[in-house]
Amino acid sequence: MKLLTHNMLTSPGNARGFPLKIEGATVEEVETDFNAEFISRMVAKLEWDALLGALQQLGVAHQLPSAVPDKYAEDEAFLKALHHVLVEVEVMEGELVCPETAKRFPVKGGIPSLI
Amino acid sequence: MSRPELQAPAEIFYGEQEASKYLHNSRMIEVQASMAERALEMLCLPEGAPALLLDVGCGTGLSGEVLEEEGHWWVGTDISRHMLATAQERGVEGGLVHDDMGCGLHFRDGLFDGAISISAIQWLCHAETSEHNPRKRLAVFFASLYKALRRGARAVLQFYPQNPEQLQLITASAMRAGFGGGLVVDFPHSTRAKKYFLCLLAGPADPTFAMPNALGADGAGDGDGDGDGARAHVQNVGRSRQHARRAGAGKRARTPIKSRDWVVRKKESQRRQGKAVRDDSKYTARSRRPKF
Ligand SMILES: C[S@@+](CC[C@H](N)C(=O)[O-])C[C@H]1O[C@@H](n2cnc3c(N)ncnc32)[C@H](O)[C@@H]1O
């Protein structure tokens, strides 16, 4: 589960079930092509605090600021750091916990299960 | 052989064996990929902008790969662990989520710039347990799809209705959820090539929204599936893609984005959508000297 995916997922059966807390995770890093335009387009769709929270829960070091910079589209260093955490950090095993109901959903082999 | 939906629940039917067909059966790969291409074409996404797309019932990621090749990023959901595990092993770029669409999609509101689904939603017409109610599951699915899409985004869903009642049930469920749009039937005169695409618009009503034209609807498709130009065209698209895949000698052959091949393919697809596109020349996709 990439963190871009995590940033979109909500808890089944609870509209306020966001963000899902990540527990007991093992993380792998993969390398993927950097597409500045795509990452830049994703910024407006992200829940920034949820992303920072997920990074903290995973204990992944990063260089992201506490808020999105104003001129982020021209800020290549920022976009590259964001690219890395969004699509190169992959949660392989662990659990997702609904913040409202504490219901748990497993992540196995890199795939979160909401069933 | 009877229809898959009548044999076993999806999470059972799409087991290891079925998943491996999506890796090795080239005819199957070709058919799925060309339907995904057609669905992407009908999404009418703005030219050249990478989009965030949803693939419902993504299976092994064949359809997602078509989206990747056009530079988009996708999230796929599927009820079969085996299909998803195969997608993960193949190293698809998209995000994968194990989920039952009949229980709704579980994403934040208004995220996706478009959605596709290839050969999956007819499964919703089948009750697998006594609690399953196809009408309810369809209603839940379409309502959640509507919410997950950005306003003004489209969803193109190809499916295999078993009978006219299912066709009606699925279409009516989509309309009840608030979608505009309707059905596009490609090659309506051919039993083999005939394909149903539900082409939906997540409101508000858009006066510029035009339903895509069906392929082979002019009667040229005569049903024997071998002669007419439009059908031959679809097959060729599938074939060249297939060819590109094989060229990778086992590994997935991805066309690097912005390479000449990628640009030429993209221009081809835009021409098919009826857009004005410059002719290909020796300058196509050449990098330009920086301007000051
Ligand atoms: C014919 S396969 C197509 C896979 C992929 N779209 C492709 O074109 O290669 C249908 C897929 O729909 C999935 N499916 C069936 N019922 C589903 C449900 N209720 N929720 C999510 N996926 C489902 C199956 O697991 C299977 O992977």
Side-chain angles (χ1 to χ4, degrees), chain B residues 181-192:
Chain B
L183 268 185
V184 174
V185 186
D186 278 359
F187 310 108
H189 310 292
S190 158
T191 20
R192 264 183 58 219

Side-chain angles (χ1 to χ4, degrees), chain B residues 105-120:
Chain B
L105 303 160
H106 300 107
F107 298 101
R108 285 195 280 116
D109 292 353
L111 269 181
F112 293 98
D113 302 312
I116 66 162
S117 178
I118 307 298
S119 319

Side-chain angles (χ1 to χ4, degrees), chain B residues 10-11 14 22 32 55-60 62-63 77-80 83 99-102 118-120 123-124 137:
Chain B
E11 61 271 39
Y14 292 99
Y22 284 76
Q32 297 309 116
D55 183 0
V56 184
C58 63
T60 59
L62 289 178
S63 29
T77 71
D78 203 284
I79 199 170
S80 157
M83 295 293 268
D99 208 355
D100 172 6
M101 62 177 150
I118 307 298
S119 319
W123 281 96
L124 289 172
R137 284 169 57 79

Side-chain angles (χ1 to χ4, degrees), chain A residues 7-8 41 45 112-114, chain B residues 50 73 98 106 108 111 113:
Chain A
N7 203 266
M8 303 177 192
R41 286 209 64 197
K45 295 181 187 281
S113 175
L114 301 183
Chain B
W73 206 77
H98 182 223
H106 300 107
R108 285 195 280 116
L111 269 181
D113 302 312

